[in-house]
Amino acid sequence: MDRKTLFVDVIVPLPVKNLFTYRVPFELNDFVKEGVRVIVPFGKSKLYTAIVVSVHENVPQNYAVKFIENILDDSPIVHPIQIKFWQWMSLYYMSPIGEVMNVALPSNFKLASETKITLHPDYEDNLSLLNERQYLIFEALTVQESLDLKEISEIVGIKTIQPLIKEMIEWYIVQTLEEVKDKFQNKTEKAYILHQNYQNEESLSEILDELAQKHEKQFHALLTFLKLQNDSRYLNPVFKKHLSKEEVSASSLQTLEKREILISEKITVSRLKGHDKETLAKKNLSTAQKKSFDEIKEAFNEKNICLLHGITGSGKTEIYVELIEEQIKLGKQILFLLPEIALTTQLIERLSLYFGDLVGVYHSKFNQNERIEIWHNVLKNNPDKFRIILGARSSLFLPYQDLGLIIVDEEHETSFKQYDPAPRYHARDCAIVLAQLHKTKVLLGSATPSFESYYNAKQGKYALVKLNERYSQIELPEIFLVDLKKEKEADRMHSHFSKSLLDEVEIAIKDNEQVILFQNRRGFTTVWACEVCNNIAKCKNCDVSLTYHKQSNSLKCHYCSYVSPPIGSCSNCGSNRLRMLGFGTEKIEDELRIIFPDYRIERLDLDSTRNKYAYQQIIQDFEDQKIHILIGTQMISKGLDFDNVNLVGVLDADGMMNRPDFRAYERSFQLMTQVAGRAGRRNKRGKVLIQTQNTDHWVLKKVCEHDFISFYDTEITERINFFWPPYFKLIHFSFKTKDYYLLDKASHFFAEQLKEVFKERVLGPQVPLISRINNLFLKQVVLKLEKDVPITKVRQKIDEIIELFFSEPTFKSVQIAIDVDPN
């Protein structure tokens, strides 16, 4: 046994910026390695799972070192590149390394004193693997629904119980409470197998003869069942949905099941396999796609980052597929970043059809055991599974061993930005750093690139490849502006719909085409106002108006989730003359059902997709042309490809463009262009109607012309003049506390300290658009920095100011949130 005195530097999953040093017991010297998890005491009585960053013999000075309690892993679960990545994120986004670790690791990897444990619902009573102490834990959980690790420690009589729990999690006997909250349920479908009594030729022939003579429908059902078994006689289950497609009635299947001729069972199926095998063949690249593909490959010879600026419907996905296939042949891993997994079902299915089991989906809402399974497959560099990871932000943190390519689709999307909790990172920018660490390439794709990415491409930092032709050479949709002022003057408005839009909807549906209507506000109405005193119904916790939701007949706050019943009179003057102002997706749906009672109308927004599978169901129904009109928020602009949509309506362009944000025009152009791109993607040119009070607005004209480049050239001048990104870097400091006067004093103190160092680059303190959320008052200080300022020196100065700030006892209760590169 190695008798050296070893020490480890570890990261603990707490909002602390330093590494902590612990001593290794002699008996663990041969087992401790960089990247393994160890159990460490922290504070007076807490135990945490920490990650070993380094092993050394340097004796810490001036304090007594505690011992690690145990080692949880035989081999590292995190490799050195990941640690470097975490450290970069901590430095750049000014977030403690422990917060980065918390975001990076699945919760089952982080067993701490406060972790709640409960029985796994799928355990099979096979407890023979358990030792005496683990059985005591199991028994305790049969009596009490959940226990934390401290309670379990008292039950079994030992301090370090993490290794016991780790084994029980791996055996699916217990699970962490975080897993219960984010419970992932397998998708199942009903299928039928032949009862064993009829799994021979003689008995099967007899029952077929009997049914043919007396029960024609049952005979047809059984014959169809046998036909669909595809010659795998008696063994192959046949899905109910396939029998239904062959016009087999549900009643016939029920009868065959009652007579014990067929047996039904629930079969777990992958969400990623949604098409029949004949759709598996890859599409051949068009001439324009092939040219762009070759240009990307050539660009990668000189630069590590390439921006693919491809118009909507140009077939960027087929280019991605070709690039992925090349990397698969080289034995490499691929990370395909998507803005939101729930919103990109079609893309996931398509890539899974091309690459099968090589595709893995990684997402923070998935079952913890499933996430850990993917983690280990990626860590082992399994050649047969999960070579391609499709994921949202959290997939950046997987332990890639041989990363060959990172693709960031819809790179402009705001969903790539993490807002809360810290670190407030941008997945696109982090992907570029991750690629640098792995010495690999990044492809950014978008029809409406972010100004930051397009600026970098124009400056030569990134390669730029353009794809300006739609697949099959379908023209971009024709976009018309509907003048709401003229429509109102001519009395051609029906509530929030112009006659022009309603006429086009009618024509489209009569031509057996589908319609998408876009309104980037959910709910029924956005404001309840008093006609007498103009008082507005507001949230009691936040400085925002309450939104009325008709389905639940309640007023809701979209910031703190406060809910109130509808008010009958004004809280200010007592008047009952209240009116509803503004409109959201729910109101559009409600009014369209009255206008078009014979059409099926559905809504796609956060409220209508609360159920885990609601989104997939709505999209599937729309694809199957069961829905005539689909109303939605920005959800409908992301990653959707429908064959039969030839009309898109934008109901309120002005609301988007009039937001008090320097990115308002950029976001509006992106949203309108993206949603317009859903129209006319297959056989004929689509049509888009945009309702506006200002048809002369220059942004709308650029949208109509599909002219991103001209839009960028005009808007970038404003960015230069007012020192906004991409020419300058922004850092937002948000201050929160319940005491407004303390907030005012604290934010001014902080701003003055910043101004002493950064001078006129500091703006504020200022009151944000929403000045109170969840009973906490808010103020903001903004720091504008030149792009070439070293972030390390900036971080050092800001750390000094924060330390000085919290040295003031009165400021201890003030929360500071730092947001680097706010979106």
Side-chain angles (χ1 to χ4, degrees):
M1 183 183 293
D2 187 350
R3 299 296 293 181
K4 290 180 182 177
T5 302
L6 296 181
F7 299 88
V8 290
D9 295 333
V10 303
I11 305 170
V12 292
L14 295 169
V16 287
K17 62 183 179 181
N18 299 321
L19 301 179
F20 292 85
T21 303
Y22 290 84
R23 186 173 167 184
V24 181
F26 288 128
E27 63 269 22
L28 297 180
N29 277 8
D30 294 334
F31 305 100
V32 70
K33 304 180 186 78
E34 292 180 11
V36 299
R37 290 174 297 159
V38 292
I39 303 301
V40 297
F42 195 87
K44 290 183 179 179
S45 59
K46 299 287 179 67
L47 292 174
Y48 288 95
T49 302
I51 292 285
V52 175
V53 173
S54 63
V55 182
H56 57 84
E57 297 179 46
N58 303 323
V59 182
Q61 303 298 314
N62 304 323
Y63 66 94
V65 184
K66 295 179 181 179
F67 283 87
I68 64 171
E69 296 281 340
N70 213 321
I71 299 174
L72 285 179
D73 305 302
D74 297 328
S75 58
I77 65 160
V78 174
H79 58 66
I81 287 181
Q82 284 176 282
I83 299 294
K84 286 181 183 177
F85 183 51
W86 295 3
Q87 289 169 333
W88 173 84
M89 284 187 70
S90 174
L91 174 66
Y92 186 81
Y93 291 104
M94 303 184 192
S95 179
I97 186 76
E99 288 185 326
V100 179
M101 174 186 169
N102 249 335
V103 169
L105 291 183
S107 61
N108 274 358
F109 276 155
K110 299 172 295 188
L111 298 173
S113 300
E114 296 88 353
T115 303
K116 291 279 190 179
I117 299 296
T118 186
L119 285 177
H120 197 292
D122 297 332
Y123 84 94
E124 297 177 350
D125 294 322
N126 181 15
L127 306 176
S128 59
L129 296 171
L130 301 185
N131 60 33
E132 185 178 343
R133 286 184 171 128
Q134 288 171 328
Y135 190 77
L136 282 174
I137 297 169
F138 170 79
E139 278 197 321
L141 286 170
T142 60
V143 176
Q144 199 165 329
E145 186 177 346
S146 67
L147 297 166
D148 63 34
L149 295 201
K150 187 177 179 182
E151 292 169 326
I152 293 172
S153 176
E154 292 170 356
I155 290 168
V156 299
I158 60 172
K159 183 179 179 182
T160 309
I161 46 82
Q162 280 86 347
L164 299 176
I165 298 298
K166 172 179 175 279
E167 288 183 334
M168 294 178 77
I169 286 173
E170 289 171 350
W171 296 332
Y172 297 93
I173 294 170
V174 299
Q175 61 187 359
T176 61
L177 200 59
E178 288 90 343
E179 181 176 348
V180 178
K181 290 176 183 174
D182 293 336
K183 180 97 178 109
F184 172 92
Q185 295 180 347
N186 286 320
K187 181 180 178 181
T188 61
E189 290 183 3
K190 192 171 187 179
Y192 293 90
I193 58 172
L194 195 62
H195 194 283
Q196 61 181 8
N197 291 345
Y198 300 99
Q199 291 184 12
N200 60 73
E201 292 290 343
E202 184 178 345
S203 58
L204 183 59
S205 296
E206 286 179 6
I207 194 65
L208 281 170
D209 289 342
E210 179 190 331
L211 294 176
Q213 293 174 19
K214 299 180 180 179
H215 307 285
E216 185 180 343
K217 288 184 179 180
Q218 293 170 38
F219 174 74
H220 166 69
L222 183 56
L223 206 60
T224 304
F225 168 85
L226 294 169
K227 174 186 169 186
L228 291 177
Q229 280 192 311
N230 295 325
D231 297 327
S232 300
R233 298 297 290 275
Y234 317 132
L235 302 174
N236 211 18
V238 177
F239 287 101
K240 182 181 178 181
K241 66 179 182 181
H242 294 147
L243 290 163
S244 298
K245 284 182 181 178
E246 297 293 328
E247 298 183 355
V248 173
S249 68
S251 60
S252 298
L253 292 171
Q254 288 172 0
T255 305
L256 290 174
E257 192 175 355
K258 283 180 183 176
R259 294 186 61 181
E260 295 187 341
I261 298 169
L262 296 180
I263 300 172
S264 70
E265 57 183 23
K266 292 280 188 180
I267 294 182
T268 300
V269 296
S270 169
R271 290 184 174 80
L272 304 178
K273 296 174 183 175
H275 298 280
D276 295 328
K277 290 186 177 179
E278 55 262 33
T279 63
L280 289 174
K282 287 192 307 174
K283 294 179 181 176
N284 293 324
L285 296 185
S286 67
T287 304
Q289 287 173 319
K290 183 69 168 65
K291 181 173 179 289
S292 295
F293 172 72
D294 292 338
E295 287 176 1
I296 291 167
K297 289 183 64 179
E298 187 177 336
F300 278 153
N301 292 327
E302 298 180 8
K303 298 186 186 298
N304 292 325
I305 307 162
C306 178
L307 173 62
L308 174 59
H309 180 201
I311 61 173
T312 57
S314 58
K316 293 185 289 294
T317 304
E318 314 320 314
I319 294 175
Y320 299 155
V321 168
E322 293 289 337
L323 291 166
I324 290 170
E325 189 170 53
E326 282 193 348
Q327 295 301 317
I328 290 294
K329 288 178 180 176
L330 294 171
K332 300 286 188 179
Q333 295 171 311
I334 299 97
L335 169 59
F336 196 130
L337 273 176
L338 306 163
E340 294 178 50
I341 288 292
L343 303 178
T344 46
T345 305
Q346 291 177 319
L347 182 57
I348 293 168
E349 288 182 351
R350 195 184 309 175
L351 290 180
S352 298
L353 288 171
Y354 292 147
F355 298 108
D357 289 339
L358 296 179
V359 176
V361 180
Y362 190 81
H363 188 254
S364 59
K365 293 297 180 187
F366 273 29
N367 169 293
Q368 291 296 323
N369 288 317
E370 186 172 41
R371 294 179 72 200
I372 289 171
E373 179 190 348
I374 293 179
W375 185 286
H376 285 308
N377 273 278
V378 173
L379 182 65
K380 293 172 186 173
N381 206 6
N382 189 328
D384 301 317
K385 287 191 78 176
F386 307 141
R387 307 298 299 169
I388 307 158
I389 296 297
L390 293 173
R393 295 186 301 259
S394 57
S395 59
L396 284 166
F397 299 108
L398 284 166
Y400 301 102
Q401 299 294 305
D402 195 8
L403 198 55
L405 177 66
I406 299 177
I407 296 170
V408 185
D409 193 31
E410 308 294 353
E411 64 84 27
H412 67 279
E413 269 292 339
T414 57
S415 305
F416 281 125
K417 175 71 175 179
Q418 164 84 6
Y419 291 101
D420 277 311
R424 295 169 179 84
Y425 66 97
H426 199 296
R428 176 199 63 219
D429 300 340
C430 290
I432 289 169
V433 174
L434 184 65
Q436 289 171 351
L437 292 171
H438 280 275
K439 296 182 172 56
T440 191
K441 310 294 184 183
V442 180
L443 179 64
L444 310 175
S446 177
T448 53
S450 64
F451 271 40
E452 285 77 3
S453 294
Y454 200 73
Y455 173 80
N456 285 330
K458 295 277 281 184
Q459 294 297 308
K461 186 177 178 180
Y462 302 169
L464 177 62
V465 173
K466 297 182 180 180
L467 181 56
N468 294 325
E469 183 182 295
R470 273 189 154 190
Y471 194 77
S472 300
Q473 297 185 323
I474 298 292
E475 287 186 90
L476 284 166
E478 196 172 6
I479 302 178
F480 300 93
L481 300 179
V482 179
D483 191 330
L484 291 180
K485 289 180 182 177
K486 289 183 179 178
E487 292 281 318
K488 288 174 183 175
E489 287 171 3
D491 198 22
R492 288 165 51 87
M493 292 296 295
H494 193 299
S495 184
H496 305 289
F497 312 101
S498 62
K499 187 173 186 303
S500 304
L501 179 60
L502 293 178
D503 287 347
E504 291 294 340
V505 170
E506 188 82 56
I507 292 168
I509 295 175
K510 284 182 177 176
D511 288 343
N512 293 317
E513 295 168 352
Q514 292 169 287
V515 177
I516 286 177
L517 297 180
F518 172 72
Q519 166 65 355
N520 207 26
R521 281 184 178 273
R522 58 191 174 99
F524 194 81
T525 56
T526 52
V527 175
W528 271 40
C530 174
E531 291 184 353
V532 176
C533 68
N534 292 321
N535 183 53
I536 292 171
K538 286 193 171 184
C539 174
K540 69 174 186 178
N541 304 319
C542 310
D543 187 26
V544 294
S545 61
L546 292 169
T547 300
Y548 177 61
H549 290 252
K550 186 176 180 181
Q551 188 171 355
S552 59
N553 191 32
S554 60
L555 294 167
K556 293 183 181 179
C557 174
H558 290 171
Y559 287 85
C560 74
S561 301
Y562 169 74
V563 179
S564 165
I567 57 175
S569 60
C570 175
S571 60
N572 185 50
C573 70
S575 168
N576 58 6
R577 291 172 58 190
L578 303 174
R579 56 178 176 163
M580 296 187 283
L581 305 174
F583 63 101
T585 49
E586 195 180 16
K587 188 175 185 184
I588 295 166
E589 178 189 26
D590 190 66
E591 293 184 344
L592 278 179
R593 289 187 189 279
I594 297 170
I595 298 169
F596 299 118
D598 297 329
Y599 301 154
R600 182 175 170 187
I601 299 164
E602 293 292 342
R603 175 166 48 92
L604 188 69
D605 59 20
L606 188 61
D607 298 313
S608 67
T609 55
R610 298 281 185 191
N611 180 283
K612 191 161 188 76
Y613 304 115
Y615 177 85
Q616 287 89 334
Q617 188 60 58
I618 293 170
I619 292 302
Q620 189 62 56
D621 286 350
F622 198 63
E623 279 186 328
D624 294 341
Q625 299 181 27
K626 295 176 182 177
I627 298 171
H628 297 99
I629 303 171
L630 183 63
I631 304 153
T633 56
Q634 60 182 339
M635 278 187 169
I636 60 175
S637 71
K638 301 177 184 181
L640 300 177
D641 186 5
F642 300 115
D643 292 351
N644 200 43
V645 174
N646 270 77
L647 177 66
V648 168
V650 177
L651 297 175
D652 183 22
D654 307 312
M656 288 185 283
M657 295 191 297
N658 292 335
R659 289 173 59 240
D661 178 5
F662 77 92
R663 285 195 175 93
Y665 287 173
E666 179 186 358
R667 297 282 184 258
S668 299
F669 182 92
Q670 288 168 341
L671 269 174
M672 285 188 276
T673 300
Q674 290 285 345
V675 76
R678 303 312 108 197
R681 297 172 72 93
R682 285 298 177 267
N683 302 316
K684 69 182 249 188
R685 189 180 190 189
K687 184 181 287 188
V688 180
L689 270 64
I690 299 176
Q691 296 190 157
T692 175
Q693 301 275 357
N694 185 3
T695 54
D696 294 325
H697 200 294
W698 73 272
V699 173
L700 294 176
K701 289 185 176 180
K702 296 303 176 187
V703 172
C704 291
E705 294 164 4
H706 304 281
D707 191 352
F708 171 82
I709 294 170
S710 177
F711 167 75
Y712 171 87
D713 289 340
T714 304
E715 178 67 4
I716 202 72
T717 306
E718 293 293 303
R719 304 286 181 92
I720 298 169
N721 292 339
F722 293 98
F723 310 109
W724 292 117
Y727 292 95
F728 273 68
K729 174 184 292 295
L730 297 184
I731 303 176
H732 282 187
F733 301 90
S734 296
F735 300 85
K736 301 178 185 178
T737 187
K738 291 184 177 181
D739 185 337
Y740 180 80
Y741 298 103
L742 174 62
L743 175 73
D744 190 57
K745 182 180 177 182
S747 58
H748 275 90
F749 176 87
F750 191 91
E752 290 305 317
Q753 299 303 316
L754 271 183
K755 286 173 182 175
E756 283 187 18
V757 179
F758 298 104
K759 312 301 180 187
E760 70 281 353
R761 298 175 184 85
V762 180
L763 305 178
Q766 56 200 22
V767 178
L769 185 63
I770 299 169
S771 61
R772 184 172 61 101
I773 295 178
N774 232 346
N775 284 322
L776 293 174
F777 291 99
L778 280 73
K779 277 205 168 182
Q780 193 174 73
V781 174
V782 178
L783 177 59
K784 287 186 176 182
L785 295 170
E786 293 82 356
K787 293 286 285 187
D788 56 355
V789 173
I791 194 70
T792 306
K793 291 184 178 179
V794 172
R795 167 72 186 262
Q796 182 182 342
K797 291 295 182 184
I798 290 173
D799 280 348
E800 291 172 4
I801 292 170
I802 290 175
E803 191 173 336
L804 176 64
F805 178 87
F806 283 116
S807 68
E808 292 284 328
T810 53
F811 296 158
K812 294 287 186 185
S813 63
V814 179
Q815 301 174 41
I816 301 180
I818 304 175
D819 192 357
V820 180
D821 301 333
N823 214 9

Coordinates of all heavy atoms in Angstrom, one line a residue, residues 50-84:
A50 N -17.9 15.6 -3.8 CA -17.0 16.5 -4.5 C -16.3 15.8 -5.6 O -16.2 14.6 -5.7 CB -16.0 17.1 -3.5
I51 N -15.8 16.6 -6.5 CA -15.0 16.1 -7.7 C -13.5 16.4 -7.4 O -13.1 17.6 -7.1 CB -15.4 16.7 -9.0 CG1 -16.8 16.2 -9.4 CG2 -14.4 16.4 -10.1 CD1 -16.9 14.8 -9.9
V52 N -12.6 15.4 -7.6 CA -11.2 15.6 -7.4 C -10.6 16.3 -8.6 O -10.8 15.8 -9.7 CB -10.5 14.3 -7.1 CG1 -9.0 14.5 -7.1 CG2 -11.0 13.6 -5.8
V53 N -10.0 17.4 -8.4 CA -9.4 18.1 -9.5 C -7.9 17.8 -9.6 O -7.3 17.7 -10.7 CB -9.5 19.7 -9.3 CG1 -8.7 20.4 -10.3 CG2 -11.0 20.0 -9.4
S54 N -7.2 17.6 -8.5 CA -5.8 17.3 -8.5 C -5.4 16.5 -7.2 O -6.1 16.6 -6.2 CB -4.9 18.5 -8.6 OG -5.1 19.3 -7.4
V55 N -4.4 15.6 -7.4 CA -3.9 14.8 -6.3 C -2.4 15.3 -6.1 O -1.7 15.3 -7.1 CB -3.9 13.3 -6.6 CG1 -3.4 12.5 -5.4 CG2 -5.4 12.9 -7.0
H56 N -2.0 15.6 -4.9 CA -0.6 16.1 -4.7 C -0.2 15.8 -3.3 O -0.9 15.2 -2.5 CB -0.6 17.6 -5.0 CG -1.6 18.4 -4.1 ND1 -1.3 18.8 -2.9 CD2 -2.9 18.8 -4.4 CE1 -2.3 19.5 -2.4 NE2 -3.3 19.5 -3.3
E57 N 1.1 16.3 -3.0 CA 1.7 16.0 -1.7 C 2.0 17.4 -1.0 O 2.7 17.4 0.0 CB 3.0 15.2 -1.8 CG 2.7 13.8 -2.4 CD 4.0 13.0 -2.5 OE1 4.8 13.1 -1.6 OE2 4.2 12.4 -3.6
N58 N 1.4 18.5 -1.5 CA 1.6 19.8 -0.9 C 0.8 20.0 0.4 O -0.4 20.0 0.3 CB 1.3 20.9 -1.9 CG 2.1 20.7 -3.2 OD1 3.2 20.3 -3.2 ND2 1.4 21.0 -4.3
V59 N 1.5 20.1 1.5 CA 0.8 20.3 2.8 C 0.2 21.7 2.9 O 1.0 22.7 2.8 CB 1.7 20.0 4.0 CG1 1.0 20.1 5.3 CG2 2.4 18.6 3.8
P60 N -1.1 21.8 3.1 CA -1.7 23.2 3.2 C -1.1 23.8 4.5 O -0.9 23.2 5.5 CB -3.2 22.9 3.4 CG -3.4 21.6 2.8 CD -2.1 20.8 3.1
Q61 N -0.9 25.2 4.4 CA -0.4 25.9 5.5 C -1.5 26.6 6.3 O -2.5 27.0 5.8 CB 0.6 27.0 5.0 CG 1.8 26.4 4.2 CD 2.6 25.4 5.0 OE1 3.0 25.7 6.1 NE2 3.0 24.2 4.4
N62 N -1.2 26.8 7.6 CA -2.0 27.6 8.5 C -3.4 27.1 8.8 O -4.3 27.8 9.4 CB -2.2 29.0 7.8 CG -0.8 29.7 7.6 OD1 0.1 29.5 8.3 ND2 -0.8 30.4 6.5
Y63 N -3.8 25.9 8.4 CA -5.1 25.3 8.9 C -5.0 23.8 8.9 O -4.2 23.2 8.1 CB -6.2 25.8 8.0 CG -6.2 25.3 6.6 CD1 -6.9 24.2 6.2 CD2 -5.5 26.1 5.6 CE1 -6.9 23.8 4.9 CE2 -5.6 25.7 4.3 CZ -6.3 24.5 3.9 OH -6.3 24.1 2.6
A64 N -5.8 23.2 9.7 CA -5.9 21.8 9.8 C -6.7 21.2 8.7 O -7.9 21.7 8.5 CB -6.5 21.4 11.2
V65 N -6.2 20.2 8.1 CA -6.9 19.6 6.9 C -7.8 18.4 7.3 O -7.3 17.6 8.1 CB -5.9 19.2 5.8 CG1 -6.6 18.6 4.6 CG2 -5.0 20.3 5.5
K66 N -9.0 18.4 6.9 CA -9.9 17.3 7.1 C -9.6 16.2 6.1 O -9.1 16.4 5.0 CB -11.4 17.7 7.0 CG -11.8 18.8 8.0 CD -13.3 19.2 7.8 CE -13.7 20.2 8.8 NZ -15.1 20.6 8.5
F67 N -10.0 15.0 6.5 CA -9.9 13.8 5.7 C -11.1 13.6 4.8 O -12.2 14.0 5.2 CB -9.7 12.5 6.5 CG -8.4 12.3 7.1 CD1 -8.1 12.9 8.3 CD2 -7.4 11.6 6.4 CE1 -6.8 12.7 8.9 CE2 -6.1 11.4 7.0 CZ -5.8 12.0 8.2
I68 N -10.9 13.1 3.6 CA -12.0 12.7 2.8 C -12.6 11.4 3.4 O -11.9 10.7 4.1 CB -11.7 12.3 1.3 CG1 -10.7 11.2 1.2 CG2 -11.1 13.6 0.6 CD1 -10.4 10.7 -0.3
E69 N -13.9 11.3 3.3 CA -14.6 10.1 4.0 C -14.6 8.9 3.1 O -14.4 7.8 3.7 CB -16.1 10.5 4.2 CG -16.3 11.7 5.2 CD -16.1 11.3 6.6 OE1 -16.2 10.1 6.9 OE2 -15.8 12.2 7.4
N70 N -14.7 9.0 1.8 CA -14.8 7.8 1.0 C -14.6 8.2 -0.5 O -14.7 9.4 -0.8 CB -16.1 7.1 1.2 CG -15.9 5.6 1.0 OD1 -15.2 5.1 0.2 ND2 -16.6 4.8 1.9
I71 N -14.4 7.2 -1.3 CA -14.3 7.4 -2.8 C -15.5 6.7 -3.4 O -15.7 5.5 -3.1 CB -13.0 6.9 -3.3 CG1 -11.8 7.6 -2.7 CG2 -12.9 7.0 -4.9 CD1 -10.4 7.1 -3.1
L72 N -16.2 7.3 -4.3 CA -17.4 6.7 -4.8 C -17.2 6.0 -6.2 O -18.0 5.2 -6.6 CB -18.5 7.8 -5.1 CG -19.2 8.3 -3.8 CD1 -20.2 9.4 -4.2 CD2 -19.9 7.2 -3.1
D73 N -16.1 6.3 -6.9 CA -15.9 5.7 -8.2 C -14.6 4.9 -8.3 O -13.6 5.3 -7.8 CB -15.9 6.9 -9.2 CG -17.1 7.7 -9.2 OD1 -18.2 7.2 -9.3 OD2 -17.0 9.0 -8.9
D74 N -14.7 3.9 -9.1 CA -13.5 3.1 -9.4 C -12.6 3.8 -10.4 O -11.4 3.6 -10.4 CB -13.8 1.7 -9.9 CG -14.6 0.9 -8.9 OD1 -14.3 1.1 -7.7 OD2 -15.5 0.1 -9.2
S75 N -13.2 4.5 -11.3 CA -12.5 5.3 -12.4 C -13.2 6.6 -12.5 O -14.3 6.8 -12.1 CB -12.6 4.5 -13.7 OG -13.9 4.3 -14.1
P76 N -12.4 7.6 -13.1 CA -13.0 9.0 -13.2 C -14.3 9.0 -14.0 O -14.4 8.3 -15.0 CB -11.8 9.7 -14.0 CG -10.6 8.9 -13.7 CD -11.1 7.5 -13.6
I77 N -15.2 9.9 -13.5 CA -16.4 10.1 -14.3 C -16.4 11.5 -15.0 O -17.2 11.8 -15.8 CB -17.7 10.1 -13.4 CG1 -17.6 11.2 -12.3 CG2 -17.8 8.7 -12.7 CD1 -19.0 11.6 -11.7
V78 N -15.3 12.3 -14.6 CA -15.1 13.5 -15.3 C -13.6 13.6 -15.7 O -12.8 13.1 -15.0 CB -15.4 14.7 -14.3 CG1 -15.0 16.0 -14.9 CG2 -16.8 14.7 -13.9
H79 N -13.4 14.0 -17.0 CA -12.0 14.0 -17.4 C -11.4 15.5 -17.4 O -12.2 16.4 -17.3 CB -11.9 13.4 -18.8 CG -12.7 14.0 -19.9 ND1 -12.5 15.2 -20.4 CD2 -13.7 13.5 -20.6 CE1 -13.4 15.5 -21.3 NE2 -14.1 14.4 -21.5
P80 N -10.1 15.6 -17.6 CA -9.5 16.9 -17.5 C -10.0 18.0 -18.4 O -10.0 19.2 -17.9 CB -8.0 16.6 -17.8 CG -7.8 15.2 -17.5 CD -9.1 14.5 -17.8
I81 N -10.4 17.7 -19.6 CA -11.0 18.7 -20.5 C -12.2 19.3 -19.9 O -12.5 20.5 -19.9 CB -11.2 18.2 -21.9 CG1 -9.9 17.9 -22.6 CG2 -12.1 19.1 -22.7 CD1 -10.1 17.4 -24.0
Q82 N -13.1 18.5 -19.2 CA -14.3 19.0 -18.6 C -13.9 19.9 -17.5 O -14.6 21.0 -17.3 CB -15.1 17.8 -18.0 CG -15.9 17.0 -19.1 CD -16.6 15.9 -18.5 OE1 -16.0 14.8 -18.2 NE2 -17.9 16.0 -18.3
I83 N -12.9 19.6 -16.7 CA -12.5 20.5 -15.6 C -12.1 21.8 -16.1 O -12.4 22.9 -15.6 CB -11.4 19.8 -14.7 CG1 -11.9 18.5 -14.1 CG2 -10.9 20.8 -13.7 CD1 -13.0 18.6 -13.1
K84 N -11.3 21.8 -17.2 CA -10.8 23.0 -17.8 C -12.0 23.8 -18.3 O -12.1 25.1 -18.2 CB -9.9 22.7 -19.0 CG -8.5 22.3 -18.6 CD -7.7 22.0 -19.8 CE -6.3 21.5 -19.4 NZ -5.5 21.2 -20.6

